[in-house]
Amino acid sequence: MKDKKPRTRLVHGGTKRSQWGEVSEAIFLTQGFVYDTAEQAEQRFIESGPDEYIYARYGNPTVAMFEERIALLEGAEDAFATASGMAAVNGALMSMLRAGDHLVSARALFGSCLYIVEEILPRFGVEVTLVDGANLDAWRAAVRPDTKAVFFESMSNPALELVDIAGVSEIARENNALVVVDNVFSTPVFSDALRQGADVIIYSSTKHIDGQGRTLGGVILGTREHIRKVVEPYMKHTGGSMSPFTAWVQVKGLETLDLRVRAQAQSAQAIADALDGHDALNRVIYPGLPSHPQHGLAQRQMGSGGTMLAIDVKGGKEGAFRFLNALDIVVISNNLGDAKSIATHPSTTTHQRLSEDQRTMLGITDGMVRLSIGLEDTNDLITDLQTALNAV
Ligand SMILES: Cc1ncc(COP(=O)(O)O)c(C=O)c1O
């Protein structure tokens, strides 16, 4: 499959057929596996080979299909599937860091990611330095010879600020620090993060990979050595593995991922173009617009503006709420990457826990609404959004 194009990898990669020869991937909804003999059980606990399973917390054939398929798309040697995106972020960081280590992290992070780096890691003796992720000089000043890893969202939630993966990786590499990238907003379709220098890539597969708002999941990708020697022991003993049911839903999600994400990004670009300059808006934030301060980086790094945009509605919270309550097709919710377009008011929902100072630092205004563009007809979406803006 390695010589095949991404869409082929997404449809066929990792498929394992049972003795029945089923076309569609089977769900192996089992926690345990039967051994032919006591000797075989003993041997499997000493070392299990490929396609030899012990217990679903360690591995399961349906989960393995999901892991192989996403690893093939990303061009990674291996992957470990997790129970949620946060299990992946926590697992990737906790499995590699020890007391006394130093981590440099971008400060523009999703609230739960910020909680891990600000609250949890320091409890276990990890020193954390937060930097302005868009500023390479800030990374250069913060990364030290004893820095074990750097961590950032390649496109931040919700202000859509990009981090230069190649630039930060070069700085990290000079200090032998590992580069850990939360790539959720960039999506696996627009990712070339490994070639750009990332060592470990994380996705919340709850988002574009499921793509239809059904299941929670996540994945950690990297070298075979890192995934099997560092990540797997931590994950399998602490219980954050993906369930076979989730893997079954999401392995089918992967089949249509490329088509869906490209259609969503195309719509997002058309919507950003149409809303830009609307009287009810202070600003449209979309990396695909030339007005975005990192438009050039977005083109270089992703070749797209992505599927998410943010708008700053005039009139603060009141204006934003009037807009949200006037929407007809776009639903008010807080997931993203879904077939259904979703509008979120970060300052009163996903980022409510943050102080006003933190929100200001992250560029989250009271009028900001995050839009996840779905698969509806683009013109219907533009009409819906413009009608709601006219109501502001
Ligand atoms: C950037 C980012 N990382 C991680 C997560 C966590 O993913 P999950 O909700 O699947 O745990 C999210 C969720 O919104 C996110 O936006």
Side-chain angles (χ1 to χ4, degrees):
M1 274 295 144
K2 284 208 175 94
D3 60 332
K4 301 289 187 292
K5 298 279 190 293
R7 279 202 195 161
T8 311
R9 294 180 189 191
L10 283 171
V11 174
H12 293 287
T15 301
K16 296 175 198 299
R17 294 206 161 90
S18 76
Q19 71 272 33
W20 308 112
E22 63 281 352
V23 173
S24 184
E25 294 72 4
I27 176 169
F28 293 95
L29 201 52
T30 178
Q31 308 112 332
F33 301 84
V34 174
Y35 312 105
D36 294 337
T37 61
E39 288 77 9
Q40 189 186 53
E42 181 186 30
Q43 184 52 41
R44 238 178 248 186
F45 272 79
I46 295 169
E47 188 170 12
S48 35
D51 295 329
E52 290 182 352
Y53 299 94
I54 294 176
Y55 191 57
R57 179 153 45 73
Y58 289 30
N60 168 287
T62 312
V63 177
M65 287 192 247
F66 171 81
E67 290 170 338
E68 226 175 293
R69 191 166 288 184
I70 180 74
L72 268 167
L73 175 66
E74 194 71 47
E77 283 180 16
D78 216 338
F80 194 95
T82 61
S84 68
M86 287 322 303
V89 174
N90 184 63
L93 294 173
M94 289 292 274
S95 65
M96 73 166 68
L97 294 169
R98 312 251 171 303
D101 284 345
H102 178 233
L103 174 80
V104 182
S105 169
R107 66 165 72 94
L109 295 179
F110 171 59
S112 302
C113 297
L114 197 62
Y115 182 77
I116 290 178
V117 300
E118 262 193 323
E119 306 276 339
I120 297 183
L121 292 177
R123 270 192 229 162
F124 294 90
V126 176
E127 188 192 346
V128 178
T129 305
L130 295 178
V131 297
D132 170 2
N135 181 350
L136 283 181
D137 287 335
W139 288 101
R140 218 167 271 121
V143 176
R144 321 186 297 227
D146 67 332
T147 302
K148 182 74 187 290
V150 301
F151 174 62
F152 55 88
E153 289 170 15
S154 53
M155 191 198 288
S156 73
N157 177 3
L160 310 183
E161 185 182 280
L162 270 75
V163 173
D164 181 343
I165 299 174
V168 174
S169 298
E170 203 180 310
I171 295 163
R173 196 76 62 233
E174 282 164 15
N175 291 275
N176 296 318
L178 289 172
V179 179
V180 185
V181 182
D182 179 332
N183 223 14
V184 172
F185 272 51
S186 301
T187 83
V189 171
F190 299 129
S191 168
D192 200 13
L194 283 176
R195 279 209 305 138
Q196 288 156 355
D199 296 295
V200 176
I201 299 173
I202 296 159
Y203 290 105
S204 159
S205 53
T206 312
K207 317 299 183 203
H208 303 84
I209 292 174
D210 178 300
Q212 289 163 72
R214 298 157 296 187
T215 50
L216 280 173
V219 65
I220 307 168
L221 298 121
T223 61
R224 181 144 305 129
E225 171 87 7
H226 187 81
I227 296 296
R228 294 302 148 201
K229 298 272 167 60
V230 179
V231 173
E232 184 192 298
Y234 180 86
M235 293 308 303
K236 76 182 187 188
H237 293 304
T238 57
S241 311
M242 181 180 272
S243 85
F245 178 74
T246 298
W248 176 70
V249 171
Q250 297 195 356
V251 84
K252 302 306 286 177
L254 283 172
E255 287 185 349
T256 55
L257 180 73
D258 190 272
L259 287 169
R260 285 186 286 106
V261 167
R262 286 185 196 282
Q264 286 168 298
Q266 219 168 21
S267 252
Q269 180 73 55
I271 290 165
D273 290 339
L275 300 190
D276 202 18
H278 192 287
D279 280 351
L281 293 176
N282 289 320
R283 197 151 85 98
V284 174
I285 306 171
Y286 181 64
L289 286 178
S291 58
H292 190 284
Q294 295 162 303
H295 175 65
L297 175 61
Q299 292 307 312
R300 247 188 359 264
Q301 190 159 286
M302 300 165 58
S304 167
T307 68
M308 304 291 298
L309 56 132
I311 53 176
D312 188 14
V313 184
K314 284 183 183 164
K317 176 181 165 184
E318 211 179 306
F321 274 27
R322 234 179 273 145
F323 164 74
L324 288 165
N325 291 331
L327 289 167
D328 178 31
I329 301 171
V330 179
V331 297
I332 305 170
S333 187
N334 39 265
N335 192 25
L336 59 100
D338 199 291
K340 293 180 173 59
S341 292
I342 293 172
T344 311
H345 188 242
S347 74
T348 55
T349 60
T350 50
H351 292 68
Q352 188 194 79
R353 196 184 66 82
L354 302 184
S355 69
E356 197 149 343
D357 281 354
Q358 279 176 309
R359 281 201 290 271
T360 306
M361 190 178 67
L362 297 180
I364 303 168
T365 59
D366 288 342
M368 179 186 272
V369 175
R370 188 186 78 186
L371 295 171
S372 167
I373 304 305
L375 289 172
E376 303 92 339
D377 179 87
T378 309
N379 289 326
D380 281 348
L381 289 175
I382 291 174
T383 304
D384 192 32
L385 294 163
Q386 282 176 338
T387 307
L389 282 176
N390 294 341
V392 172

